[in-house]
Amino acid sequence: MGLDEAKEPAMQTSPHLALQPAVSARPLIPFEQTLASGALKRVEAKEFVFVEGDAASYVYRVETGAVALFKVLADGRRQIVGFAYPGDLIGLGAEGEHVMNAQAIKPTRLRCLPMSGLHRSVAQDPSLGFKLYQALARELASMRDLMLTTGQRSATERVVSFLLAFSRRNKRNGQDPTAFELPMTRADIGDFLGLTIETVSRTFTKLRTMGLIELPRSSQVKLIDIDALKGLADGDDQVL
Amino acid sequence: MGLDEAKEPAMQTSPHLALQPAVSARPLIPFEQTLASGALKRVEAKEFVFVEGDAASYVYRVETGAVALFKVLADGRRQIVGFAYPGDLIGLGAEGEHVMNAQAIKPTRLRCLPMSGLHRSVAQDPSLGFKLYQALARELASMRDLMLTTGQRSATERVVSFLLAFSRRNKRNGQDPTAFELPMTRADIGDFLGLTIETVSRTFTKLRTMGLIELPRSSQVKLIDIDALKGLADGDDQVL
DNA sequence: CGGAACATTGACCCATGTCAAGTGTCGTGG
DNA sequence: CCACGACACTTGACATGGGTCAATGTTCCG
C-alpha cells in the first residue's frame, strides 16, 4: 500500500490489517494459532461489533462479510474511516476503550481473539509485536491516502479512486479487476468519501454515461475503461 | 487523544509520537539511550527532512522547531497529514521508502536514529516494540479524528477544531491554553484542513469579528471565548 | 528603504449540498 | 404468484459554502 500500483497515490479501501501469511517454515505461530482457535461469532447486517466507549476486550478477524468502521459527530454526521473485508483485523490499536464504531454491512462471521490472549501471544512470540506494528503502519498509510483523497480531490476523483481501489483489491486476490460487487450502500460510500448520497449517485451515473463503467445492478460495477478512469482519478479532470 | 477532552471528537494536530516517558525505575532503556546519543541535525525553514521515495534510513525526533508531513498529488495539490512538534517522532512506520514528505516549517533541530539502531534496540528491549506499536496507534487515532474533521465539518468547524487542538496541546504542556503562536502559514493550515488560504483567512477574520479570538499578529492567536468556540466546533453552527 | 512573501478582502462563480419527487428492488404475507 | 411496503437509488430544481481570480495591505528581512 502506497508502494503498490506505481506511484499512484493509491487510496486503500480496506484497513488491510491481515498479518503477513505466517512463514510456513516457522515451527509455531502462537498468534495465528490462538486466532485460529478463537471463537467464531456471527453478526447480521447492520449489527454492531463494538461501539465507541466499549471496553476493547477483543480483536476480531473478518472471516466472511464486511464491516464498516466509523466515527460520529454529536449531531450525527458520520465519517466511515475504513471497511474491513475477509482477512482484515479490527479492534487493533485500541487502548482500554474503543474510540470508534464497527458495524457489519452484510451478514458477517468474525474470529474473536481476547486481548489477554493477544498479550500472551506477544510475550511468547517477540516478532509478533513487530508484526502488529507493521500492520498498524500499513493501516496508517492507507488512512493518509484517504486523507489526501477526501481533503484534496473532487467528487469525481474520489469516486473513481474508490472504484479503482476495489479493482486493485480484486487483482491482488486473483479475481476479476474489472468487475465487482459493492457490499455497501451509497450512503456508506458517501460517508466514506465525504460526499452526499446524491452526489455519489450522480457521479456513478456520469461515469456510466461517459461509457467508463457499467452498472448492471446498483451494487454491481463493471469497469469499462480503466485507463480513462485512472486519468480521472488524478486531477486531469479536463478529460470530461 | 480521543479520550482526552471529554467526548469531544478531538482533532489532534500533532502526530504525538513521543514515547511514554521512560519509567525511571527501569535500569536501562536502550532506545531512549540510543536516541539521546543520536546525531543532532539542523534544518532551516522550508528545508526537507525527507521526501517521498527516499530510503527510510532514519527515524527523527523533533527537538525544537516544527515539521510538516504531507503527501502531494500529481498536479501539485498537497495534503498535510500532520505537524510534528518537539518530542514527536517522524519517519516511523515506513518500510524501505518514505511514502510522504517531511519539511521543516521553521528552523528545526532533529535527533537522528538510524533504522539499524532502532532494530537493534527492539531486539534488546522487547517492550520497545509494543511502545512503537502504541505510538503508531495514537497516531492512527489522531489521523482518524482528522478524517472526521476534514470529511464532515464545515470550514468554520475545521478552523475552530484546529485552534482548540492548539489550546489542548498548550494545556498539556503546562502553557497558556488561551494564547499561542502558529508556526505555520495560512497555506499550511489550508492544506491541512482541506481549505484554501482565502477561506482560512476569512474564517479567522470572522472569528475575530465575532469576538471569539484576537489576532495580535497573524501568527499569534488569543482565544477569548473558549466555550463558544467549543460550541462552534461541533456542529451547532446556529450559534452564529 | 525596498522587495519578497504572506495575509486580507472583495466580487463572482461553480461544485456540491439540500429538498423533493419519482423509480427500482427485494422480502413478506395474503 | 402477486401485492404491498420498506428501502435504496436516481433524478431534477434550486441554494449556497467555499473556491477562484484579482487587488491591496502588512510584515519582515536584507
Side-chain angles (χ1 to χ4, degrees):
Chain A
M1 164 53 325
L3 296 176
D4 114 357
E5 214 70 341
K7 40 112 51 30
E8 183 89 340
M11 182 184 55
Q12 187 66 351
T13 320
S14 141
H16 192 37
L17 279 179
L19 296 180
Q20 311 297 9
V23 181
S24 55
R26 294 267 188 62
L28 190 80
I29 292 86
F31 177 62
E32 283 297 331
Q33 210 177 53
T34 312
L35 193 53
S37 65
L40 251 191
K41 180 177 182 175
R42 289 176 165 282
V43 293
E44 294 308 313
K46 305 200 177 174
E47 199 177 328
F48 284 87
V49 180
F50 54 77
V51 301
E52 201 170 336
D54 277 2
S57 34
Y58 290 89
V59 166
Y60 303 90
R61 185 176 65 185
V62 177
E63 298 294 322
T64 64
V67 176
L69 303 163
F70 62 93
K71 308 198 72 152
V72 291
L73 248 22
D75 61 4
R77 281 174 291 177
R78 181 176 77 139
Q79 176 69 44
I80 292 183
V81 297
F83 295 103
Y85 303 106
D88 292 334
L89 291 181
I90 60 180
L92 258 191
E95 300 289 337
E97 299 192 339
H98 286 293
V99 292
M100 41 189 284
N101 310 279
Q103 184 178 28
I105 54 180
K106 53 190 313 199
T108 295
R109 278 183 300 154
L110 300 163
R111 186 74 66 180
C112 309
L113 177 75
M115 280 292 180
S116 57
L118 180 64
H119 288 131
R120 210 179 319 118
S121 297
V122 171
Q124 283 174 35
D125 179 356
S127 73
L128 174 60
F130 190 59
K131 281 187 201 160
L132 292 176
Y133 165 84
Q134 289 179 306
L136 280 198
R138 274 196 299 278
E139 170 75 349
L140 186 53
S142 69
M143 211 66 216
R144 285 169 173 154
D145 285 328
L146 180 56
M147 280 274 331
L148 178 63
T149 293
T150 61
Q152 303 299 328
R153 286 153 118 118
S154 70
T156 304
E157 291 169 337
R158 294 184 209 189
V159 170
V160 170
S161 301
F162 180 72
L163 294 178
L164 290 176
F166 269 91
S167 174
R168 255 181 276 123
R169 189 165 71 91
N170 260 17
K171 186 188 269 182
R172 217 169 31 233
N173 296 342
Q175 295 173 301
D176 186 350
T178 71
F180 42 85
E181 179 95 17
L182 298 174
M184 70 290 287
T185 67
R186 298 288 186 265
D188 292 330
I189 297 173
D191 286 347
F192 183 56
L193 299 177
L195 300 171
T196 59
I197 296 183
E198 293 95 327
T199 298
V200 174
S201 182
R202 275 189 257 268
T203 305
F204 274 117
T205 302
K206 187 177 91 175
L207 294 173
R208 179 165 48 70
T209 305
M210 291 166 75
L212 303 183
I213 67 174
E214 279 172 12
L215 295 164
R217 294 268 172 285
S218 71
S219 66
Q220 286 172 0
V221 183
K222 177 125 209 282
L223 306 187
I224 302 301
D225 187 343
I226 293 200
D227 288 337
L229 289 170
K230 282 181 180 166
L232 274 189
D234 251 343
D236 8 323
D237 235 345
Q238 81 282 3
V239 180
L240 36 123
Chain B
M1 161 56 328
L3 296 174
D4 112 358
E5 214 68 344
K7 42 111 52 30
E8 184 88 342
M11 182 183 54
Q12 188 66 353
T13 319
S14 144
H16 192 35
L17 280 178
L19 297 178
Q20 313 295 8
V23 182
S24 54
R26 294 267 187 63
L28 188 81
I29 292 85
F31 177 63
E32 283 296 332
Q33 212 177 52
T34 312
L35 194 51
S37 65
L40 251 191
K41 180 177 183 174
R42 288 175 166 282
V43 294
E44 293 308 314
K46 305 199 178 170
E47 199 177 326
F48 283 88
V49 180
F50 53 77
V51 301
E52 199 170 338
D54 277 2
S57 32
Y58 290 89
V59 166
Y60 304 90
R61 186 176 63 186
V62 178
E63 299 295 322
T64 64
V67 176
L69 303 163
F70 63 92
K71 307 197 72 152
V72 292
L73 248 22
D75 61 4
R77 280 174 293 176
R78 180 177 77 138
Q79 176 70 43
I80 293 183
V81 298
F83 295 103
Y85 304 106
D88 293 334
L89 291 181
I90 61 180
L92 259 190
E95 300 289 339
E97 301 193 338
H98 286 294
V99 293
M100 41 190 284
N101 309 279
Q103 185 178 26
I105 53 180
K106 52 190 315 198
T108 296
R109 278 183 299 153
L110 300 162
R111 185 74 66 179
C112 309
L113 178 75
M115 279 294 180
S116 56
L118 180 62
H119 289 130
R120 209 179 320 118
S121 297
V122 172
Q124 283 174 36
D125 180 355
S127 73
L128 174 61
F130 189 59
K131 281 185 202 159
L132 292 176
Y133 166 84
Q134 290 179 306
L136 280 198
R138 275 195 300 278
E139 171 74 351
L140 185 53
S142 69
M143 211 66 217
R144 285 169 172 154
D145 284 328
L146 180 57
M147 280 274 331
L148 178 62
T149 292
T150 61
Q152 303 299 327
R153 288 154 119 117
S154 71
T156 304
E157 292 169 339
R158 294 184 208 188
V159 171
V160 170
S161 300
F162 180 71
L163 294 179
L164 290 175
F166 268 90
S167 173
R168 255 181 275 122
R169 188 164 71 92
N170 260 17
K171 186 188 266 181
R172 217 170 30 234
N173 296 342
Q175 295 173 298
D176 186 349
T178 71
F180 42 85
E181 179 93 17
L182 299 174
M184 69 290 286
T185 66
R186 298 288 186 266
D188 293 331
I189 298 173
D191 287 347
F192 183 57
L193 298 177
L195 300 170
T196 59
I197 296 182
E198 293 94 326
T199 299
V200 173
S201 183
R202 275 189 258 268
T203 305
F204 274 117
T205 302
K206 186 177 93 176
L207 295 173
R208 179 164 48 69
T209 305
M210 291 167 75
L212 303 183
I213 67 174
E214 279 172 11
L215 296 165
R217 294 269 174 283
S218 71
S219 66
Q220 286 172 0
V221 183
K222 177 128 211 282
L223 307 186
I224 303 300
D225 188 343
I226 293 200
D227 288 339
L229 289 169
K230 283 181 179 165
L232 274 189
D234 249 342
D236 8 324
D237 236 346
Q238 79 281 6
V239 180
L240 30 126

